[in-house]
Amino acid sequence: MEVVSKDLQEDNYKKLIREQLQNADWKDSLELQIATMRLLTVRAQRYGDRKVFELYDSAYQSKLLNTLATALDWVDTSGSPDSLRVLDVLGLSKQCNGRMVPDLMAMRRALSSSSRKRLNTEPGADLMPRSGWLSDYLDYAHFNEAPISFHFFSALAILGLGMRRNVVFDRDAFEYWPNTYSFLIGPTAGRKSQAMGMAKAVGKFSRRLIESAQERHYSTTVGTGTDADPVYDHRPIFLPKEVSPQKLIEMLQVRINQENGFHYTNDSVGILMNDEVATLIGKTVKFSDDMIARLTDLYSAEDTGGRATITWGEHKMRNICFSFVFGSAPSWIKTSVTANMFQGGFLNRSVFVYRQYKGDIIPHPDILDPIAMHHLASALVPWSMINGPIVFYFEQNSEPRKWFDSWYSDNHPIKLEKIHTDKRLVSYLSRKQDHLCRMAMLLQISDNMGSAGLYESLGMVPIELQYLQQADRILTFEENYLPECFSWFGEMEDGEKTQMVLDAAQKVAKTLGCNEFTRGELTKMMANVGRGKRMTLTKEWMPHLDQLIELGHIEEFFPNNTGSGKRPWIRVLLNSDGGKA
């Protein structure tokens, strides 16, 4: 069944909804969801309402939908154009469970609230896109306390995910695919997870739309496929936030699946979004070095053309386009970053977005508009299904090429070493051209989201100067925060000492067969393992114990048989394998 087109009138929407309610499979009907949403949108436009809040998936239950149909009949017979009256009828429905009620309240508030424009009070907000898909996303997501840069880089990852390997920036000897690696660094409750979650929701909604679109396409063209000759699955893979290196590769590997009667084969296109990277990589995480090696390889996995593959063990990878967005508190950098992360180039492949503060102060965050969410998600569908890659390139003797040549000379590591004394910062900035080209390509696509078919027919698209310059301004602005952020890497020696205290505590727990013990037991162990590091005295290692308590690896407590005036005992919460004790 085809998705309802935008130009259908209100009566046609109503008719379609009532027809869909009679179908046995209406619960899985994406057409029904879109039709209901668009009907309310048409009513809002017709009668002057600002916007209408979509009934979320949780609200699509049989009785509630029947109530909706009854409400629409009531509006027709009463002659009232007020969509708030419809919501009042819906609100009276006794079929709403606890999860539905907030959705209905949100709908009512969305209809009654005044229009709000994106705020520009936050530093760097004026550098963000003011047109195109990324601008629409920031308008959709902005009215909360997450820093706008957190929103931007989360959205950039989802935009790149939607492109798959259907676009590429060809810089002669170098190729840049649309995948991105980003670290959002900020204090606890700095709204990192909020920014990631909103972008991830748009990406997952797009995945559903892609599924519906490809099923319609294959049903009318090549058929359902077979195990010997499967059809391509254009849906991206969303990995769980906590995943082992082995599971990461297993989920991205090429396989043949049978789903909804179709025989699918996939490319290795996916994203990992984790708001607390300390659970994935760091000194206290088992297999951390293996995870770092896998992520480093995935970032720039080369494809020799056609359907070339690379293999990790038994797992075959194809057309890799993998992104991540990781969140972290500054304490992770201080205690968990290892020299291996720099030496292997892992951190250099990532953009660091650091904020000490939240964004604008907003006591009552805005409600997300599902109409805008549908617009953002549906715009990604054509790009996911085109026959690529579309090649972005520098035209010979063009202004963009001349500008880039000059820019590259000014930002070469030889010159950076004369400006910055921190070699790690110089190493990070030496890959800025990689981030610049990827971001410029995505900014240009963002401004031309309706041109997927045109770009596909052209095959090659010159990069435009304005997007190179905009990407440079955004990246340069983020660099203003890096000296402070990177200064913490100078504390890696302290991090090693913190790790030593944790190792000693874990060793005590293993020796005693219990993860609870007195501070005296730890003092005895430190007297042995701390030699050579000047860590034998309590005053030398106590600050590192406090750091472990702050990180949640160790806690202090008073046993039942001791009073509050006694010294607290120690409970180890992290075992030697990096899991919970």
Side-chain angles (χ1 to χ4, degrees):
M1 181 177 297
E2 294 186 0
V3 176
V4 184
S5 61
K6 291 184 179 179
D7 57 354
L8 288 180
Q9 298 299 312
E10 185 177 341
D11 289 342
N12 292 340
Y13 285 128
K14 293 185 202 175
K15 180 180 178 181
L16 178 61
I17 290 173
R18 295 187 179 105
E19 288 176 352
Q20 288 290 308
L21 286 171
Q22 306 304 317
N23 295 340
D25 60 347
W26 63 265
K27 289 184 179 181
D28 299 320
S29 173
L30 181 63
E31 287 77 9
L32 176 58
Q33 180 174 348
I34 294 174
T36 305
M37 178 176 64
R38 288 180 175 164
L39 170 61
L40 294 176
T41 304
V42 168
R43 293 195 64 83
Q45 293 172 346
R46 179 177 173 184
Y47 301 119
D49 289 322
R50 182 178 71 86
K51 64 178 181 177
V52 177
F53 207 82
E54 174 195 4
L55 292 175
Y56 287 152
D57 291 348
S58 60
Y60 280 89
Q61 306 291 335
S62 178
K63 293 181 180 180
L64 188 57
L65 279 170
N66 284 323
T67 305
L68 172 61
T70 303
L72 294 174
D73 287 337
W74 177 81
V75 170
D76 289 341
T77 56
S78 68
S80 169
D82 188 356
S83 54
L84 285 174
R85 300 289 293 276
V86 179
L87 296 178
D88 287 338
V89 173
L90 291 174
L92 294 175
S93 173
K94 301 301 182 182
Q95 285 76 36
C96 295
N97 58 30
R99 186 179 176 188
M100 294 180 193
V101 172
D103 294 331
L104 297 175
M105 293 175 63
M107 289 174 67
R108 187 175 292 108
R109 181 178 171 196
L111 283 165
S112 60
S113 62
S114 60
S115 179
R116 289 165 169 164
K117 295 183 179 181
R118 193 197 314 175
L119 301 178
N120 281 312
T121 59
E122 183 185 339
D126 58 324
L127 302 176
M128 295 298 160
R130 304 302 299 188
S131 62
W133 190 90
L134 287 167
S135 176
D136 291 344
Y137 181 88
L138 295 177
D139 288 339
Y140 159 77
H142 79 284
F143 208 79
N144 52 69
E145 293 184 340
I148 194 168
S149 289
F150 286 4
H151 284 306
F152 174 77
F153 281 94
S154 298
L156 196 71
I158 294 298
L159 178 59
L161 180 71
M163 299 301 107
R164 304 171 62 85
R165 282 179 75 117
N166 292 333
V167 299
V168 62
F169 194 122
D170 184 358
R171 188 169 73 89
D172 298 329
F174 300 97
E175 290 182 339
Y176 302 113
W177 301 97
N179 59 311
T180 61
Y181 282 11
S182 301
F183 279 92
L184 310 183
I185 310 294
T188 302
R191 304 294 187 259
K192 300 178 290 292
S193 58
Q194 183 180 39
M196 291 185 207
M198 294 167 70
K200 188 175 183 179
V202 171
K204 285 196 167 184
F205 190 15
S206 176
R207 189 180 191 278
R208 292 176 50 204
L209 296 177
I210 292 170
E211 177 182 357
S212 179
Q214 69 184 13
E215 286 185 0
R216 292 194 307 273
H217 172 70
Y218 291 139
S219 295
T220 58
T221 55
V222 298
T224 59
T226 64
D227 283 347
D229 186 22
V231 294
Y232 266 94
D233 189 352
H234 298 271
R235 294 172 297 178
I237 300 167
F238 285 83
L239 287 92
K241 61 183 295 185
E242 295 186 23
V243 61
S244 68
Q246 181 72 10
K247 191 65 176 179
L248 171 71
I249 300 305
E250 287 179 1
M251 293 188 69
L252 291 175
Q253 71 177 326
V254 178
R255 60 170 60 87
I256 296 177
N257 292 328
Q258 293 189 31
E259 186 177 345
N260 298 330
F262 290 86
H263 298 256
Y264 286 121
T265 183
N266 61 285
D267 285 336
S268 304
V269 177
I271 190 169
L272 175 58
M273 305 183 87
N274 183 306
D275 56 0
E276 189 45 71
V277 69
T279 63
L280 285 179
I281 53 179
K283 294 179 180 178
T284 61
V285 180
K286 188 177 182 180
F287 303 130
S288 174
D289 287 345
D290 191 18
M291 175 65 81
I292 291 169
R294 299 293 174 93
L295 293 175
T296 302
D297 288 339
L298 286 171
Y299 178 78
S300 55
E302 296 181 357
D303 194 293
T304 57
R307 292 290 176 182
T309 63
I310 62 177
T311 302
W312 271 293
E314 300 175 354
H315 307 296
K316 187 166 65 174
M317 314 286 284
R318 177 178 60 202
N319 294 332
I320 299 170
C321 188
F322 176 79
S323 297
F324 75 61
V325 183
F326 289 162
S328 172
S331 57
W332 174 79
I333 295 178
K334 295 180 180 180
T335 62
S336 299
V337 170
T338 65
N340 182 49
M341 295 184 191
F342 263 110
Q343 294 168 356
F346 169 64
L347 294 181
N348 302 347
R349 287 165 167 78
S350 310
V351 174
F352 278 78
V353 185
Y354 166 63
R355 292 294 184 276
Q356 288 181 313
Y357 51 84
K358 299 176 185 177
D360 296 296
I361 299 175
I362 303 175
H364 302 286
D366 204 2
I367 311 162
L368 296 179
D369 182 356
I371 307 300
M373 181 181 183
H374 178 267
H375 164 75
L376 293 164
S378 60
L380 297 173
V381 176
W383 290 91
S384 295
M385 300 184 64
I386 61 176
N387 293 318
I390 298 166
V391 180
F392 289 78
Y393 69 101
F394 285 112
E395 285 186 306
Q396 292 294 333
N397 300 319
S398 65
E399 289 302 316
R401 189 181 186 96
K402 293 176 183 177
W403 179 90
F404 181 83
D405 290 350
S406 175
W407 177 92
Y408 184 80
S409 176
D410 293 339
N411 289 270
H412 195 275
I414 294 177
K415 292 188 177 181
L416 293 176
E417 288 175 353
K418 298 177 181 180
I419 301 173
H420 303 287
T421 57
D422 189 334
K423 292 183 178 180
R424 285 171 291 229
L425 181 57
V426 173
S427 176
Y428 171 82
L429 294 176
S430 67
R431 284 188 177 269
K432 185 177 179 179
Q433 68 274 7
D434 297 9
H435 307 310
L436 177 82
C437 291
R438 291 172 193 267
M439 185 185 294
M441 176 174 64
L442 291 173
L443 286 169
Q444 185 164 335
I445 291 171
S446 171
D447 260 1
N448 296 275
M449 289 296 284
S451 302
L454 174 62
Y455 278 17
E456 182 181 14
S457 64
L458 293 174
M460 299 187 70
V461 179
I463 195 69
E464 297 180 23
L465 178 60
Q466 61 174 315
Y467 302 112
L468 291 166
Q469 293 174 332
Q470 185 177 21
D472 178 48
R473 289 193 295 270
I474 293 172
L475 291 170
T476 300
F477 178 80
E478 294 304 328
E479 290 167 15
N480 294 330
Y481 298 92
L482 290 184
E484 179 180 357
C485 185
F486 274 64
S487 68
W488 296 327
F489 292 119
E491 301 180 27
M492 286 194 290
E493 182 179 352
D494 285 342
E496 293 175 359
K497 292 180 179 179
T498 302
Q499 180 65 38
M500 183 184 299
V501 176
L502 179 60
D503 290 342
Q506 291 169 341
K507 190 171 183 178
V508 172
K510 185 175 182 179
T511 301
L512 298 178
C514 177
N515 70 323
E516 298 177 352
F517 47 86
T518 66
R519 186 177 295 181
E521 297 288 348
L522 180 58
T523 301
K524 293 177 184 178
M525 183 63 68
M526 287 303 302
N528 293 322
V529 302
R531 289 175 182 172
K533 290 287 187 179
R534 299 182 62 85
M535 292 278 286
T536 57
L537 301 178
T538 303
K539 66 179 182 180
E540 293 169 339
W541 57 260
M542 185 56 68
H544 303 285
L545 178 64
D546 294 337
Q547 183 68 50
L548 290 168
I549 293 171
E550 180 184 343
L551 289 171
H553 299 332
I554 286 176
E555 68 179 9
E556 293 183 319
F557 71 103
F558 292 98
N560 294 331
N561 61 346
T562 63
S564 58
K566 302 290 185 179
R567 286 188 175 183
W569 282 36
I570 292 172
R571 178 183 291 122
V572 179
L573 303 178
L574 201 69
N575 61 34
S576 58
D577 291 331
K580 291 183 178 179

